[in-house]
Amino acid sequence: MLYLRDAFPRERWTEALPETAAFWLQMHAGFRAQQRHMADAATRWRSGRLDPRGLHAALIPTLQAFLQHLDGHHRVESGHYFPQFRLIEPRIQSGLDLLDRDHDAIHAHLDALFHAAVAFHQAVAAPSPDASDHAHQLADVLDRAAPGLIRHLDDEEDIVIPLMVLKGGPAA
């Protein structure tokens, strides 16, 4: 799966990239930044530097954008890009299958994040005495979701970016 990455390794990704590849990396960088922001908010919560309302203000707007954009991004990849990539380079079939399965697993995490966020939001808005419990649950769900997402972004880039550069790829 990684023969294309070997031909065009990450250290060369600073070279002029096709517009779609540069945009793809930009989107992924945004997801990583949002994930870091949310992890930082959870860390500040756990260390006592944020109360439930402070965590809500620091986390919920970013989480809402993250959930919406990542879900849409995956839908476009699985529904538009991956089928075209399969035609361009059939040898990466198994890699694309892996990425599609990752999307399913990540979607389960997104769903869990959504439900934990709604429960936390409702507890803060009430205000409810169990808001702290919901904050801990949301922070735990964030922790569980992060490693798979970061790994997926790296894996996807290793397959997709070299393909776009070396073989061409569908336009945005």
Side-chain angles (χ1 to χ4, degrees), residues 63-80:
L63 179 57
Q64 187 175 21
F66 177 79
L67 293 172
Q68 182 179 0
H69 292 142
L70 188 58
D71 181 62
H73 182 72
H74 283 172
R75 288 178 193 276
V76 169
E77 288 174 343
S78 290
H80 174 72

Side-chain angles (χ1 to χ4, degrees), residues 30-100:
F31 294 135
R32 287 182 179 98
Q34 288 174 314
Q35 192 281 323
R36 283 190 304 273
H37 173 83
M38 293 184 297
D40 178 62
T43 297
R44 288 184 289 143
W45 156 256
R46 286 183 174 124
S47 71
R49 291 181 283 156
L50 290 176
D51 65 1
R53 287 200 175 281
L55 178 63
H56 187 278
L59 183 61
I60 295 300
T62 302
L63 179 57
Q64 187 175 21
F66 177 79
L67 293 172
Q68 182 179 0
H69 292 142
L70 188 58
D71 181 62
H73 182 72
H74 283 172
R75 288 178 193 276
V76 169
E77 288 174 343
S78 290
H80 174 72
Y81 285 104
F82 291 177
Q84 291 188 36
F85 292 156
R86 291 174 197 283
L87 297 173
I88 292 168
E89 184 53 71
R91 292 185 292 169
I92 65 167
Q93 206 64 258
S94 61
L96 294 172
D97 291 345
L98 172 72
L99 296 175
D100 267 331

